[in-house]
Amino acid sequence: MSYQVLARKWRPKSFATLVGQEHVVRALTHALDQKRLHHAYLFTGTRGVGKTTIARIMAKALNCETGITSTPCGTCSSCVEIDGGRFIDYLELDAASNRGVEDMTDLLEKATYAPTRGRFKVYVIDEVHQLTGHAFNAMLKTLEEPPEHVKFILATTDPQKIPITVLSRCLQFNLKQMPQQHIIDHLTRILDSEQVRFEPLALRHLAKAAAGSMRDALSLLDQSIAHGAGVVEEEKVRDMLGTVGDDYLFALLDALGARDVTALIAVADQMEGRSLNFDSALQELAVLFHRVALLQFAPEALGDIAERDRLKPYATIFDAEFLQLCYQIAIHGRDDLALAPDEYAGFTMALLRMVAFNPVTASATNVGQAIAPKAAVPVTRPNATPAAASLTATPVAATVAAAKPVAGNVQVSDDWHAIVAALAISGMARQLAQHCELGELSETQIVLRLPPAHKHLQGKAPQDKLQAELQTYFGRSLKLTIDIAAASGTTPAELARSVQRERQEQAIASIEGDSFVREVVEMFDATIDESTIKPI
Ligand SMILES: Nc1ncnc2c1ncn2[C@@H]1O[C@H](COP(=O)(O)OP(=O)(O)O)[C@@H](O)[C@H]1O
Ligand SMILES: [Mg+2]
Ligand SMILES: [Zn+2]
């Protein structure tokens, strides 16, 4: 037995089995049931969304031996012959290959004769926008004074190219792209009835790749059945499509959210190891940023509950502006890939750019400034590893480092908080500095007090690093000594924490004080989970 491709085998034969396009089905059903028939219909929409399918159902509806009906029987000889593509009064013309005026006049001449078998002659002109101007003109005459027994069904992917004179004589229906969930459900039904084993996640990839076209989804399904030797598995499908697995994408999002450059690069390395396509990775990241942004602004736009749940955490951790930037970086990063030394470099640079623009770095200055290359100074300083620098770059450090990259004898401060903020240090050295208090500062030496609770921060490497940076800052040779002793005032770390606490309290207060929130709380006898409130 020969194998029939799924798209053909599963072409819906009735309005009831058609997936989606409810708006079109409703209008056509109504018209057929009321016998209010137009002589020319125009179906528009991208490929594989049901234009030809609906045209054939219409042809049956008009010619079924049970009478004009929105539910053609499917068993009379007219229905069977239309389904089989051999009904004498039904003609499908592909305007892409029969675009000239001769083809059209030929067709129109035949149209003048009464139907042989059916009630109506039904002419489907596919890709009608491809007709020449002359052919359109010839058709227009017939459309103006159509014979009673002729119905035209025009289909196009590009309605803009159809002359307005023709458009105005057709009843136009715009078919929609297939939502992912509709595709997944349809594929599931088909595989169940074909008794093909499959992993649900595989269908998600296929549906995504089909980009709204049911025909493409079914062709890809054919391919993946062949590829997987009769089984549709996620891994194989991903392999076939060359798509980057969600695991990688979400690992990237997690690392971005945590501003963890080390993790980010590690994921990129794994992807490189598996020869994944960095271009499609950037594209899929852009898709994710877009979906997360949508979730923030219009959650109902995400019809798929599973997707909504999956993305919800990211909608909270990413700020809206940051998402916009990441989206831009991802799509422009794709162009840059071609210019990059290699794709890995292009990809990782795009990721680093996202980190460099993260809101923690950006919020201290304003965003405009953050975009300026200067703000990236902490990330690109040769004496700090990119990972460590951007991981710990605090707002203040970013600002000051940008404004004052080398201290020299620019104005120096003896306020320890200001000094720490200005130092280009990261990691342990910064931790150490932040937990200290200035004890003594002379021409030749600087003594810091480190509270015993933090004495684990002491160590030769961070201390050497801190000493070197202090020397740069003050522009003279200084010996750094660290005393373990209780601090008498507040260390930068404590200050940061209390500022954070204060902002948190303000955030809680403003939520609790909000009249809308209060109303909701009262109306539903709700409580506010304070741990979920984040200062903005
Ligand atoms: N709305 C739909 N519901 C179910 N299957 C569809 C739908 N649209 C397209 N298909 C599938 O795709 C195949 C091609 O659809 P077709 O109607 O020829 O698309 P086009 O819009 O390009 O004319 C059909 O045979 C069918 O298997
Ligand atoms: Mg078609
Ligand atoms: Zn019939």
Side-chain angles (χ1 to χ4, degrees), residues 229-377:
V231 190
V232 183
E233 286 166 338
E234 197 218 345
E235 175 113 20
K236 289 250 171 58
V237 165
R238 234 158 58 184
D239 206 48
M240 180 187 94
L241 298 170
T243 36
V244 183
D246 279 356
D247 303 353
Y248 290 109
L249 296 173
F250 284 110
L252 289 173
L253 287 193
D254 290 337
L256 262 181
R259 291 178 284 280
D260 184 344
V261 176
T262 315
L264 211 49
I265 300 299
V267 180
D269 287 346
Q270 285 170 29
M271 293 170 66
E272 162 104 324
R274 293 210 31 204
S275 312
L276 293 175
N277 184 326
F278 286 125
D279 180 59
S280 52
L282 283 175
Q283 176 166 24
E284 297 199 20
L285 276 178
V287 169
L288 278 176
F289 292 135
H290 167 243
R291 304 299 284 173
V292 175
L294 263 185
L295 188 58
Q296 287 179 341
F297 287 103
E300 66 286 357
L302 271 65
D304 181 354
I305 306 288
E307 185 190 13
R308 230 189 272 179
D309 287 345
R310 186 80 176 88
L311 296 183
K312 208 174 276 164
Y314 302 103
T316 8
I317 60 173
F318 290 126
D319 109 351
E321 230 162 275
F322 179 54
L323 281 172
Q324 293 291 330
L325 271 169
C326 286
Y327 177 80
Q328 289 294 327
I329 294 169
I331 56 177
H332 291 303
R334 294 184 66 198
D335 287 339
D336 292 350
L337 280 186
L339 307 170
D342 56 61
E343 294 219 332
Y344 173 83
F347 183 66
T348 45
M349 279 308 274
L351 296 178
L352 289 178
R353 205 172 306 148
M354 291 174 194
V355 175
F357 289 155
N358 78 50
V360 169
T361 321
S363 59
T365 61
N366 57 45
V367 174
Q369 248 176 302
I371 296 169
K374 273 206 294 183
V377 163

Side-chain angles (χ1 to χ4, degrees), residues 37-110:
L37 304 174
H38 213 75
H39 60 274
Y41 298 85
L42 173 65
F43 297 133
T44 65
T46 51
R47 61 200 220 100
V49 293
K51 299 184 294 297
T52 307
T53 304
I54 293 178
R56 290 204 185 157
I57 299 172
M58 274 299 276
K60 286 188 287 184
L62 292 165
N63 279 317
C64 178
E65 285 162 22
T66 65
I68 296 175
T69 169
S70 60
T71 51
C73 74
T75 52
C76 71
S77 55
S78 297
C79 285
V80 170
E81 284 172 29
I82 291 170
D83 279 337
R86 53 196 155 78
F87 189 66
I88 192 146
D89 292 317
Y90 176 76
L91 187 86
E92 273 178 33
L93 179 97
D94 181 6
S97 44
N98 310 278
R99 43 197 308 264
V101 68
E102 297 82 23
D103 297 304
M104 186 49 68
T105 44
D106 198 37
L107 181 146
L108 296 170
E109 201 187 290
K110 283 190 199 135

